[in-house]
Amino acid sequence: MNVKGIVHKYGDNIDTDVIIPARYLNTADHQELAAHCMEDIDKEFIHKVQNGDIMVGGWNFGCGSSREHAPIAIKAAGISCVIAKTFARIFYRNAINIGLAILECEEACDKIQNGDEVSVDFDSGVIRNLTRNETYQAEPFPDFIKDIIRSGGLLNSLKK
Amino acid sequence: MAMTMTQKILAAHAGLPEVKAGQLIRAKLDMVLGNDITSPVAINEFEKAGFTSVFDREKISLVMDHFVPNKDIKAATQCKQCRTFAHRFDIENYFDVGKMGIEHALLPEQGLVAPGECIIGADSHTCTYGALGAFSTGVGSTDMAAGMATGEAWFKVPSAIRFNVTGELKPYVSGKDVILHIIGQIGVDGALYKSMEFTGPGLKNLSMDDRLCIANMAIEAGAKNGIFEVDEVTMAYIHNRVKRPVTTYAADPDAVYEQTIEVNLSEIQPTVAFPHLPENTKTFDEIGDIPIDQVVIGSCTNGRLSDMATAAEILRGKKIAPNVRCIIIPATQQVWKDCVRLGYMEIFIDAGCAVSTPTCGPCLGGYMGILAAGERAVATTNRNFVGRMGHVDSEVYLASPAVAAASAIAGKIASPVA
């Protein structure tokens, strides 16, 4: 599985309240959630983002609430993959369970700049920065998790 | 192989003689929890996947607490969806308006969670029940849906940090100050993916409400779970609440911990977390004059009876500062009733506070106390992220009920210690 897109880069400790503020949690509609994704720290994000784009964070991405609305909003906004140095654990689970691709790679997060074009190969964990002609290696997922992602999320994997 | 408390509970629930850190397991669940925000997403997934039954109607809790009594039409629709689901599957522990409380105060109070159990909840503060010596962790809605259908969840067995608790808390210092102190020390990802295991001779000096508050905020250090060794305080708390037999687990003496951190309760001071992260902690020698607009006393962190008692003691015969709104939210119907019975309600109202029925409302910026741009609140809640209680240019300072009550009277962030 491969994706390619333009990077939207943010800092450390991007929390679920800025990914999708709780004032919008009175709905579970994916597109409605996407319309408010990141608005408290980046009002332009939802206007700039193109289908397939990539989000890059720092340490502890997705910290805070357990709201699955956060990875849902990111995915529904068109983001194909989130790369961070580390993910907060509930966000990590939720992303896998709903089939939003994520990778942990410190070097990629340090070197990739906002607006770079990047491609990601999930099977190998190789991240290519096409703008800077650099390559970074992320730890690929264990097979157990690859299985969930390949099935299209946790519930589909349980039905097998 | 030697195991931590958490690892022993996980091994028992996975049907394995032992587990080790990093191992992926599938564990049986004793309770699956959801609220009015996360359950609708879970119900949608449950139905989309075509499940037609739940694993155990007595081991699911649905608590309507975030936006109830319904704050708007959309919130009403979400609660209606939960209500319909609860009726369809005859869910035993469905808590609606009039019976509900803030989930993490309600479940321990009602004896629905017990030592040695394995619990997931689609709410990050599900880690609260570790106070009782359970393995309990927050998950998302898809995990909740799978848990309701199968009674199982996948876990990566965590490594652990041990907190060796000694000493005794000073007056007006509580569990909230302890956990803020710890998060200030190790940071918001200081325990990422790990267990925080609390043990040591000082545990006996921590009440169950203090422990619930400390375990509640383990997630604020990134932890998978916080857990307390079971002792007489635990057994006294569950007596008359938990009717089923319980199994308790203690860590092996040679269990492997990544780190041991000493926590001397006697040295802990009233502590405040400044915007916009719970790790930005300060004690009063570092806090100057910071005027405030609002105080919130409540939440799954600090809405229990002892929190109300502390607030009442400080507010008795006093008035809230003229430019401050003070909102008090007892966390459950029982706590509310006890506040009436013990005369706290009269103290709060005479002081000029607004008292609400149980709700998570203002903690997550839902309703019932939203901040305008430029406003500042002292809150006994658990998060002070950008925009958490309202406008992106508002500020939340996290503190104990004692600090919050003292601040409400002073009109600025104030220490309860004279």
Side-chain angles (χ1 to χ4, degrees):
Chain A
M1 188 179 150
N2 285 284
V3 297
K4 186 168 81 172
I6 301 298
V7 165
H8 303 263
K9 188 174 178 181
Y10 301 98
D12 293 337
N13 299 312
I14 294 299
D15 62 75
T16 52
D17 279 281
V18 303
I19 296 171
I20 180 71
R23 59 185 178 275
Y24 302 119
L25 298 184
N26 54 5
T27 179
D29 181 82
H30 293 197
Q31 288 313 318
E32 217 174 310
L33 293 169
H36 299 291
C37 187
M38 310 304 282
E39 75 174 30
D40 282 359
I41 53 163
D42 182 2
K43 286 199 172 20
E44 294 308 308
F45 168 74
I46 199 62
H47 305 297
K48 288 184 304 196
V49 65
Q50 300 289 318
N51 223 15
D53 279 1
I54 289 167
M55 191 177 278
V56 172
W59 300 108
N60 203 28
F61 187 96
C63 61
S65 137
S66 69
R67 63 189 72 155
E68 209 159 285
H69 312 65
I72 288 172
I74 290 173
K75 193 181 176 195
I79 292 291
S80 62
C81 173
V82 185
I83 305 168
K85 294 182 182 177
T86 51
F87 290 92
R89 59 159 288 275
I90 306 178
F91 185 93
Y92 183 96
R93 281 184 87 88
N94 287 348
I96 291 164
N97 285 344
I98 67 156
L100 169 66
I102 56 171
L103 278 179
E104 289 186 334
C105 182
E106 188 177 343
E107 189 193 6
C109 296
D110 282 334
K111 293 190 174 163
I112 294 172
Q113 296 302 314
N114 196 35
D116 285 359
E117 189 181 22
V118 165
S119 75
V120 177
D121 178 336
F122 292 106
D123 283 333
S124 63
V126 171
I127 301 166
R128 288 180 209 287
N129 188 332
L130 307 172
T131 306
R132 289 168 208 282
N133 204 17
E134 292 172 345
T135 301
Y136 325 109
Q137 179 67 54
E139 185 80 17
F141 284 123
D143 288 340
F144 175 84
I145 290 174
K146 274 188 188 160
D147 226 37
I148 296 177
I149 296 173
R150 255 188 236 117
S151 310
L154 177 67
L155 293 177
N156 286 328
S157 77
L158 290 176
K159 283 193 290 187
K160 279 198 301 190
Chain B
M1 204 186 113
M3 292 188 281
T4 65
M5 271 183 271
T6 298
Q7 289 164 356
K8 280 193 174 175
I9 297 173
L10 287 174
H13 285 80
L16 298 169
E18 60 175 44
V19 295
K20 57 179 198 293
Q23 188 176 345
L24 285 157
I25 58 157
R26 188 163 279 287
K28 290 206 180 310
L29 302 170
D30 297 301
M31 183 55 75
V32 178
L33 164 73
N35 58 50
D36 51 319
I37 303 287
T38 57
S39 303
V41 178
I43 293 167
N44 290 344
E45 292 302 316
F46 184 96
E47 288 171 351
K48 209 162 72 190
F51 293 116
T52 53
S53 62
V54 297
F55 83 107
D56 189 333
R57 57 177 283 277
E58 294 177 7
K59 292 184 177 174
I60 295 169
S61 291
L62 299 179
V63 186
M64 305 300 98
D65 61 358
H66 276 58
F67 293 162
V68 302
N70 304 326
K71 82 176 181 106
D72 55 24
I73 295 169
K74 285 179 174 174
T77 308
Q78 290 193 322
C79 284
K80 191 177 170 194
Q81 187 184 4
C82 296
R83 199 174 295 124
T84 304
F85 181 87
H87 287 158
R88 179 179 167 203
F89 293 107
D90 197 19
I91 302 296
E92 170 103 350
N93 301 301
Y94 171 70
F95 296 95
D96 211 327
V97 173
K99 292 199 294 279
M100 52 70 71
I102 296 175
E103 51 198 323
H104 309 308
L106 186 69
L107 265 56
E109 176 194 284
Q110 298 291 318
L112 294 173
V113 288
E117 294 187 338
C118 180
I119 301 150
I120 62 166
D123 187 281
S124 58
H125 294 108
T126 303
C127 51
T128 307
Y129 318 134
L132 297 168
F135 170 78
S136 190
T137 192
V139 296
S141 296
T142 297
D143 276 315
M144 179 191 169
M148 288 195 298
T150 66
E152 294 184 349
W154 67 270
F155 297 109
K156 192 169 176 180
V157 176
S159 60
I161 301 174
R162 174 168 49 193
F163 293 83
N164 185 41
V165 181
T166 56
E168 198 171 346
L169 292 173
K170 293 205 180 75
Y172 298 113
V173 179
S174 67
K176 184 61 163 285
D177 302 294
V178 176
I179 190 63
L180 288 176
H181 167 83
I182 289 171
I183 296 166
Q185 190 180 350
I186 69 174
V188 291
D189 59 355
L192 191 61
Y193 307 133
K194 295 173 194 162
S195 303
M196 295 169 76
E197 299 210 342
F198 294 88
T199 178
L203 278 199
K204 64 177 185 298
N205 300 321
L206 287 174
S207 70
M208 187 47 69
D209 282 4
D210 282 325
R211 297 178 192 196
L212 289 161
C213 173
I214 292 169
N216 173 273
M217 286 188 73
I219 179 69
E220 263 42 83
K224 184 172 202 125
N225 66 312
I227 188 166
F228 280 75
E229 203 167 72
V230 175
D231 63 4
E232 284 133 30
V233 175
T234 325
M235 298 319 280
Y237 182 84
I238 65 168
H239 181 69
N240 288 337
R241 294 179 199 270
V242 177
K243 308 283 192 257
R244 57 196 177 279
V246 300
T247 313
T248 59
Y249 298 88
D252 288 319
D254 53 345
V256 178
Y257 290 90
E258 287 197 355
Q259 197 184 352
T260 294
I261 294 175
E262 297 294 329
V263 179
N264 183 349
L265 300 176
S266 315
E267 289 173 0
I268 291 177
Q269 305 286 326
T271 302
V272 178
F274 276 47
H276 289 286
L277 283 176
E279 70 183 22
N280 296 337
T281 55
K282 292 186 198 292
T283 47
F284 277 89
D285 50 323
E286 310 162 286
I287 299 173
D289 261 15
I290 301 175
I292 56 169
D293 305 285
Q294 179 167 297
V295 167
V296 174
I297 300 175
S299 83
C300 61
T301 314
N302 282 125
R304 299 183 182 82
L305 190 60
S306 63
D307 301 314
M308 298 297 127
T310 301
E313 185 193 331
I314 293 171
L315 292 169
R316 184 188 300 272
K318 301 277 179 24
K319 292 284 180 202
I320 302 303
N323 298 319
V324 174
R325 295 102 57 184
C326 182
I327 300 162
I328 300 186
I329 311 178
T332 66
Q333 290 287 96
Q334 185 61 50
V335 175
W336 221 93
K337 201 171 150 186
D338 289 340
C339 285
V340 173
R341 180 175 57 84
L342 295 165
Y344 301 164
M345 211 53 100
E346 194 164 331
I347 294 171
F348 297 153
I349 294 166
D350 285 347
C353 305
V355 188
S356 162
T357 56
T359 177
C360 306
C363 171
L364 75 163
Y367 73 132
M368 199 64 84
I370 303 301
L371 300 173
E375 288 194 321
R376 239 181 236 137
V378 172
T380 67
T381 56
N382 42 53
R383 292 195 176 122
N384 55 355
F385 300 151
V386 170
R388 175 76 179 177
M389 198 175 276
H391 197 279
V392 291
D393 297 324
S394 63
E395 294 182 342
V396 177
Y397 294 73
L398 304 175
S400 69
V403 169
S407 302
I409 297 165
K412 59 179 186 178
I413 301 177
S415 171
V417 182

